[in-house]
Amino acid sequence: SDLERLVFGADNDDEDVDGEAVGEIDTQATSDEESERSDDNSDEENEDNGGEDTLFFVDTERPDQISNTNNGSSDSEEEDSEEEEEEEKADTAAWVDDDTQNARVALKDSVRTRKLRKDEGENVVHGDVYEERLRQQFQKINPAPKWAQETQTGDAWVSDSEDSEDRKMRAGGDLLQSSKSLLSRSNALLPPSIIDIVRTRNGNQAAPSQSAVSAVQFHPTANVMLTAGLDKTLRLFEVDGKDNQKIQSIFFKDLPISSAQFIRGGQEVVVSGSRRWYYSVDVEKGAVTRISGIPGLPTLNSLKYMHGCNNGDRLAVMSNDGQIHLVSARTKQFIRTLPMNGVVRDVSFTADGNYLWSVGTDNEMYQWDLRQNQCVSRWHDQSLFRATRMEISSDTSYYASGDHAGMVNIYDVNAIRTQADDAAFLNVKPFKAIDNLTTSISGLRFNHSSEILGMFSNKSQGQLKLAHLPTGTVFSNWPSMSSSLGFVQCIDFSPHSGFMAVGNDKGKAMLYRLPHFQGY
């Protein structure tokens, strides 16, 4: 039924992906080693061949999704009249389907319907009960905004007998008279220990990856999500939690993708891998540009670890010899190399793009001022055992680091900055150490409000945890034994944390709704 489709999404797992320009992809080559070995020789030949149009295919299904242009409708008057007719109709159903009431639905027969049970022992329910459960699940996934709900004035509800214009004026009166509801919503704190989270249709259900999803990221302003992987394909999806339709896919013949990210405010996507060349994609125009390495660094043969920033004009490329190479995100020209004593393991930009934080295998933390291209702070982290990852929150109030033993440390940046002398940085200690993961940390991610820290390891199945801030408490109810996360490869939060995406080794970008956060 239509209601089942809205709640569970269209069941098209076995259907072919329409229009996907990935026909030459070997679906068996899902591991890093197989993909790397199969393409080494051909990629070296393609580097010297002219004609960039032979190196990638662009498949566009819905190019209008990222554009901010709103096209007017020639049938607006007719639609207005239809809306007025709908408002005059009664809220009660015109008829009742006896077949629905007499039907019996076994909830345990399908994985998708098991979530509709009130308790584990419940199984067969009547058709009308099943329909009501579907409606409740839909409302839970897609809650109506408060401004759209029926508004009460004084002690009396707005009367249905009023004309349409009067009802609109009265319904919006409270919203316009005060900003109290908006302020109270934004100031609501996320409860610790238990998190409200709902699984929705996979973000890339319309076009799953043919390999592990190595990169997933939300657009900073539009309801758009990208996925990429070793199947050499970049895909863009419209995120609504219901259909998640594919917008566009681009197949790069000579580049198994290990890194893909939005830069320059979402205007551009940079795609890189274990090659000395990379690609730039203009999001609005759909133009693809192949960039043959970084000028001035001819010996840099891999751009696997490339990091970008939404608001700054910098790309950071990590090398294996303790150096961070800075490249202009706009001109793609080499700017400067930032040297570290140990081998660099991870870097993280601040939200404004003015600073870059980095950590090395010697557990030395660096803070770089990109306006001066120099190190302004440096300290040794004695709490780490061979650092693997680090991340700075968007408001720079926290930073987190992970190590080879699966330990994640969370630090209060403001507490560190209150130390008066430089010597204080030699004994920086975390305010919270989390040991819920048992294998090497592969990634860390803060949400937009710095209330959630996501941490994962791709060395074992189901190794993903979410921690509450500022308490540092790990949410105990999720993930559960039935979450079926697989080997997590990447995670990301939408701009206002309404959604969380989890990419795994099975080519899925699992999408979760966080009802606490009202926006996208």
Side-chain angles (χ1 to χ4, degrees):
S1 66
D2 292 341
L3 186 56
E4 287 179 314
R5 183 184 61 81
L6 290 174
V7 175
F8 301 125
D11 189 9
N12 63 345
D13 291 344
D14 298 328
E15 296 178 4
D16 294 332
V17 179
D18 296 334
E20 183 91 32
V22 294
E24 301 178 25
I25 297 174
D26 181 5
T27 58
Q28 301 299 321
T30 59
S31 67
D32 294 9
E33 296 180 357
E34 291 177 354
S35 180
E36 295 285 338
R37 288 197 300 265
S38 63
D39 297 319
D40 281 342
N41 296 332
S42 60
D43 290 347
E44 294 295 332
E45 295 176 358
N46 288 334
E47 181 188 8
D48 299 327
N49 292 339
E52 293 185 0
D53 56 338
T54 63
L55 299 178
F56 57 86
F57 298 107
V58 179
D59 169 30
T60 302
E61 290 192 359
R62 305 189 66 191
D64 58 322
Q65 293 302 316
I66 309 179
S67 174
N68 293 325
T69 304
N70 294 324
N71 297 323
S73 173
S74 59
D75 300 329
S76 59
E77 295 182 358
E78 181 179 348
E79 292 177 356
D80 291 341
S81 61
E82 291 178 356
E83 291 178 359
E84 292 177 358
E85 292 178 1
E86 290 293 333
E87 291 176 355
E88 296 175 357
K89 292 181 179 180
D91 293 335
T92 58
W95 60 282
V96 178
D97 189 354
D98 294 334
D99 293 337
T100 300
Q101 293 182 331
N102 297 330
R104 299 292 186 272
V105 180
L107 300 181
K108 290 184 178 181
D109 288 353
S110 172
V111 176
R112 299 189 301 180
T113 58
R114 290 175 187 172
K115 66 182 71 175
L116 302 179
R117 295 177 295 171
K118 295 298 183 181
D119 55 72
E120 293 186 0
E122 186 180 26
N123 185 15
V124 179
V125 296
H126 290 277
D128 54 349
V129 176
Y130 176 67
E131 183 178 0
E132 181 62 25
R133 299 273 180 89
L134 287 173
R135 295 184 186 279
Q136 293 175 358
Q137 182 71 7
F138 178 80
Q139 292 173 358
K140 185 177 181 181
I141 298 174
N142 304 278
K146 291 185 178 180
W147 57 265
Q149 297 175 1
E150 192 172 24
T151 306
Q152 190 177 26
T153 304
D155 295 330
W157 290 100
V158 177
S159 173
D160 289 338
S161 61
E162 294 177 322
D163 58 41
S164 175
E165 193 64 29
D166 289 342
R167 284 199 294 168
K168 291 178 182 178
M169 292 295 293
R170 295 186 61 184
D174 291 343
L175 177 65
L176 299 176
Q177 289 176 5
S178 173
S179 61
K180 180 179 180 181
S181 61
L182 299 178
L183 294 175
S184 61
R185 180 194 304 174
S186 61
N187 292 333
L189 297 178
L190 179 69
S193 302
I194 303 297
I195 186 170
D196 188 7
I197 185 169
V198 181
R199 174 77 181 271
T200 68
R201 190 187 186 203
N202 288 345
N204 65 343
Q205 187 78 26
S209 296
Q210 303 299 316
S211 68
V213 178
S214 58
V216 60
Q217 189 181 28
F218 291 93
H219 191 277
T221 57
N223 287 34
V224 174
M225 181 188 73
L226 70 77
T227 65
L230 297 179
D231 59 357
K232 308 179 183 179
T233 306
L234 170 71
R235 298 176 178 90
L236 299 177
F237 300 90
E238 177 193 9
V239 178
D240 57 12
K242 295 178 290 186
D243 297 325
N244 302 325
Q245 298 186 23
K246 189 184 77 172
I247 300 173
Q248 186 181 49
S249 65
I250 304 175
F251 175 66
F252 305 93
K253 294 181 65 175
D254 60 348
L255 185 64
I257 303 171
S258 59
S259 172
Q261 54 213 306
F262 292 104
I263 61 172
R264 299 175 58 210
Q267 301 179 33
E268 183 181 349
V269 177
V270 287
V271 179
S272 64
S274 299
R275 303 291 185 269
R276 58 175 172 266
W277 56 86
Y278 64 105
Y279 285 87
S280 168
V281 180
D282 188 306
V283 174
E284 295 185 356
K285 298 179 181 178
V288 181
T289 304
R290 186 177 188 269
I291 303 168
S292 300
I294 300 177
L297 298 173
T299 60
L300 189 61
N301 295 322
S302 174
L303 303 178
K304 181 177 181 179
Y305 302 107
M306 176 180 284
H307 297 260
C309 178
N310 278 329
N311 298 322
D313 183 32
R314 292 292 186 275
L315 295 174
V317 180
M318 298 161 45
S319 64
N320 293 325
D321 53 0
Q323 294 181 328
I324 305 171
H325 305 294
L326 298 180
V327 179
S328 172
R330 183 176 55 87
T331 65
K332 306 302 184 292
Q333 296 297 310
F334 171 69
I335 298 177
R336 189 183 181 90
T337 295
L338 306 177
M340 293 176 54
N341 289 341
V343 177
V344 59
R345 295 301 300 165
D346 200 12
V347 301
S348 178
F349 286 94
T350 57
D352 57 11
N354 291 332
Y355 292 90
L356 179 73
W357 293 48
S358 62
V359 64
T361 54
D362 56 357
N363 299 337
E364 291 284 332
M365 300 289 302
Y366 295 76
Q367 184 184 22
W368 308 88
D369 188 336
L370 299 182
R371 295 165 296 185
Q372 304 176 20
N373 291 325
Q374 65 180 12
C375 179
V376 294
S377 297
R378 175 186 168 191
W379 61 93
H380 182 77
D381 192 337
Q382 299 179 351
S383 305
L384 293 176
F385 172 69
R386 293 169 55 192
T388 58
R389 291 292 181 267
M390 67 88 53
E391 180 80 0
I392 182 76
S393 64
S394 58
D395 61 358
T396 66
S397 58
Y398 303 102
Y399 85 86
S401 58
D403 65 16
H404 188 74
M407 183 71 68
V408 174
N409 296 322
I410 309 176
Y411 306 80
D412 187 340
V413 175
N414 294 324
I416 295 175
R417 287 175 175 170
T418 58
Q419 306 296 337
D421 56 322
D422 293 337
F425 288 102
L426 297 177
N427 192 27
V428 174
K429 294 182 179 180
F431 77 86
K432 185 69 176 182
I434 299 175
D435 58 357
N436 293 68
L437 301 180
T438 59
T439 52
S440 177
I441 302 301
S442 304
L444 301 166
R445 183 74 67 189
F446 287 95
N447 79 318
H448 84 287
S449 60
S450 303
E451 294 179 275
I452 302 176
L453 170 63
M455 61 201 86
F456 69 92
S457 172
N458 60 14
K459 306 301 182 183
S460 181
Q461 291 196 49
Q463 292 286 287
L464 170 63
K465 293 294 182 181
L466 300 179
H468 173 270
L469 294 172
T471 64
T473 305
V474 175
F475 293 108
S476 59
N477 65 313
W478 192 90
S480 63
M481 295 296 294
S482 60
S483 295
S484 300
L485 297 174
F487 290 84
V488 177
Q489 306 294 312
C490 49
I491 64 173
D492 194 31
F493 295 94
S494 59
H496 294 93
S497 304
F499 290 95
M500 180 183 70
V502 180
N504 68 8
D505 62 314
K506 299 178 181 179
K508 297 179 180 180
M510 296 172 287
L511 194 63
Y512 296 87
R513 182 79 173 93
L514 303 178
H516 173 80
F517 302 97
Q518 297 293 323
Y520 162 70

